[in-house]
Amino acid sequence: MNEFTEHSLENKKELFNLRHSSLRTAIEREFGILKSRFSSIDGKSFWSYETQVDVVFVCCIIHNHIMGVDPNDFLMEEICSKSKPIRRTINLSQREEREENRGWITKREMIASTIWNDYNTQRN
Protein backbone atom coordinates (compact mmCIF):
# COMPACT_ATOMS: atom_id res chain seq x y z
CA MET A 1 0.00 0.00 0.00
CA ASN A 2 1.32 3.42 -0.85
CA GLU A 3 0.12 6.76 0.46
CA PHE A 4 0.33 8.25 -3.02
CA THR A 5 -1.71 5.72 -5.00
CA GLU A 6 -5.39 6.04 -5.84
CA HIS A 7 -6.25 3.83 -2.86
CA SER A 8 -6.67 6.10 0.12
CA LEU A 9 -5.80 5.01 3.60
CA GLU A 10 -8.92 4.41 5.62
CA ASN A 11 -7.75 4.51 9.21
CA LYS A 12 -4.87 5.17 11.54
CA LYS A 13 -3.93 1.49 11.72
CA GLU A 14 -3.38 1.27 7.94
CA LEU A 15 -1.27 4.43 7.96
CA PHE A 16 0.77 3.29 10.96
CA ASN A 17 1.41 -0.14 9.39
CA LEU A 18 2.46 1.43 6.08
CA ARG A 19 4.92 3.82 7.68
CA HIS A 20 6.19 1.24 10.17
CA SER A 21 6.85 -1.25 7.37
CA SER A 22 8.63 1.38 5.24
CA LEU A 23 10.81 2.47 8.14
CA ARG A 24 11.68 -1.10 9.14
CA THR A 25 12.68 -1.97 5.58
CA ALA A 26 14.95 1.08 5.38
CA ILE A 27 16.58 0.33 8.75
CA GLU A 28 17.14 -3.34 7.90
CA ARG A 29 18.70 -2.34 4.58
CA GLU A 30 21.06 0.09 6.32
CA PHE A 31 22.12 -2.52 8.87
CA GLY A 32 22.75 -4.90 5.96
CA ILE A 33 24.99 -2.30 4.35
CA LEU A 34 26.88 -1.66 7.59
CA LYS A 35 27.34 -5.39 8.21
CA SER A 36 28.66 -5.85 4.67
CA ARG A 37 31.08 -2.94 4.99
CA PHE A 38 32.24 -3.70 8.52
CA SER A 39 32.57 -7.43 9.10
CA SER A 40 33.32 -6.86 12.79
CA ILE A 41 29.61 -6.18 13.41
CA ASP A 42 28.40 -9.18 11.42
CA GLY A 43 27.79 -12.17 13.65
CA LYS A 44 27.77 -12.89 17.36
CA SER A 45 29.67 -10.30 19.34
CA PHE A 46 31.88 -10.83 22.35
CA TRP A 47 31.61 -7.16 23.34
CA SER A 48 29.30 -5.80 26.03
CA TYR A 49 26.01 -4.31 24.85
CA GLU A 50 27.26 -0.76 25.53
CA THR A 51 30.39 -1.38 23.46
CA GLN A 52 28.32 -2.86 20.63
CA VAL A 53 26.21 0.32 20.55
CA ASP A 54 29.37 2.44 20.38
CA VAL A 55 30.88 0.27 17.62
CA VAL A 56 27.73 0.50 15.47
CA PHE A 57 27.62 4.28 16.05
CA VAL A 58 31.26 4.64 14.97
CA CYS A 59 30.66 2.44 11.92
CA CYS A 60 27.77 4.74 10.93
CA ILE A 61 30.03 7.79 11.25
CA ILE A 62 32.79 6.18 9.17
CA HIS A 63 30.30 5.01 6.54
CA ASN A 64 28.75 8.48 6.29
CA HIS A 65 32.22 10.03 5.97
CA ILE A 66 33.13 7.64 3.17
CA MET A 67 29.88 8.46 1.38
CA GLY A 68 30.54 12.19 1.82
CA VAL A 69 34.04 11.91 0.38
CA ASP A 70 33.13 9.50 -2.42
CA PRO A 71 29.39 9.05 -3.00
CA ASN A 72 30.19 6.77 -5.95
CA ASP A 73 32.24 4.42 -3.76
CA PHE A 74 32.59 1.20 -5.74
CA LEU A 75 32.09 -0.84 -2.56
CA MET A 76 28.71 0.78 -2.07
CA GLU A 77 27.40 -0.57 -5.36
CA GLU A 78 28.61 -4.06 -4.43
CA ILE A 79 27.21 -3.82 -0.89
CA CYS A 80 23.80 -2.56 -2.05
CA SER A 81 23.43 -5.40 -4.52
CA LYS A 82 24.28 -8.02 -1.86
CA SER A 83 22.64 -6.58 1.25
CA LYS A 84 19.85 -8.56 2.84
CA PRO A 85 17.63 -7.51 5.73
CA ILE A 86 18.67 -8.85 9.10
CA ARG A 87 16.25 -10.72 11.28
CA ARG A 88 16.92 -11.00 15.01
CA THR A 89 14.73 -12.53 17.63
CA ILE A 90 14.67 -11.84 21.33
CA ASN A 91 13.60 -14.59 23.67
CA LEU A 92 11.38 -13.28 26.45
CA SER A 93 9.31 -15.17 28.93
CA GLN A 94 5.55 -15.02 28.33
CA ARG A 95 5.13 -12.78 31.37
CA GLU A 96 7.85 -10.36 30.23
CA GLU A 97 6.32 -10.32 26.76
CA ARG A 98 2.84 -9.47 28.08
CA GLU A 99 4.20 -6.68 30.31
CA GLU A 100 6.33 -5.29 27.51
CA ASN A 101 3.44 -5.46 25.02
CA ARG A 102 1.10 -3.42 27.22
CA GLY A 103 3.47 -0.48 27.16
CA TRP A 104 4.12 -0.78 23.44
CA ILE A 105 0.43 -1.09 22.57
CA THR A 106 -0.24 2.22 24.32
CA LYS A 107 2.77 3.84 22.63
CA ARG A 108 1.74 2.49 19.20
CA GLU A 109 -1.80 3.82 19.62
CA MET A 110 -0.46 7.25 20.55
CA ILE A 111 1.87 7.33 17.54
CA ALA A 112 -0.85 6.04 15.19
CA SER A 113 -3.29 8.72 16.37
CA THR A 114 -0.69 11.47 15.95
CA ILE A 115 0.34 10.48 12.42
CA TRP A 116 -3.30 9.94 11.41
CA ASN A 117 -4.22 13.45 12.62
CA ASP A 118 -1.20 14.93 10.78
CA TYR A 119 -2.07 12.95 7.64
CA ASN A 120 -5.66 14.23 7.67
CA THR A 121 -4.54 17.79 8.36
CA GLN A 122 -2.20 17.71 5.34
CA ARG A 123 -4.91 16.26 3.08
CA ASN A 124 -7.45 18.97 3.95
Side-chain angles (χ1 to χ4, degrees):
M1 188 180 295
N2 187 331
E3 284 184 50
F4 304 105
T5 63
E6 291 179 22
H7 174 78
S8 63
L9 298 164
E10 297 191 13
N11 57 48
K12 66 183 181 181
K13 186 176 180 181
E14 284 184 8
L15 179 61
F16 178 87
N17 287 342
L18 171 68
R19 292 194 179 167
H20 183 262
S21 175
S22 297
L23 180 61
R24 182 177 178 151
T25 300
I27 290 169
E28 287 178 349
R29 181 177 176 274
E30 294 306 316
F31 270 106
I33 290 169
L34 283 176
K35 287 171 63 175
S36 295
R37 186 179 285 277
F38 303 102
S39 60
S40 62
I41 62 174
D42 189 17
K44 188 168 178 127
S45 178
F46 54 87
W47 295 317
S48 69
Y49 177 77
E50 292 79 15
T51 301
Q52 290 177 53
V53 171
D54 292 341
V55 168
V56 170
F57 183 65
V58 169
C59 288
C60 289
I61 291 170
I62 294 169
H63 171 76
N64 288 341
H65 176 73
I66 291 169
M67 295 311 297
V69 171
D70 185 8
N72 299 316
D73 178 28
F74 72 94
L75 287 176
M76 195 60 194
E77 288 179 22
E78 182 180 323
I79 289 169
C80 286
S81 67
K82 290 181 182 177
S83 67
K84 297 175 188 148
I86 59 171
R87 300 269 187 230
R88 305 259 177 183
T89 58
I90 299 172
N91 296 321
L92 298 173
S93 72
Q94 287 182 345
R95 181 177 175 202
E96 288 172 321
E97 195 171 305
R98 282 193 306 271
E99 289 172 4
E100 186 173 292
N101 282 343
R102 271 188 247 131
W104 282 112
I105 288 169
T106 304
K107 185 77 158 173
R108 182 185 63 218
E109 285 299 315
M110 183 193 72
I111 293 169
S113 294
T114 301
I115 64 174
W116 181 249
N117 291 338
D118 290 347
Y119 175 75
N120 284 320
T121 301
Q122 291 173 2
R123 286 183 17 193
N124 296 328

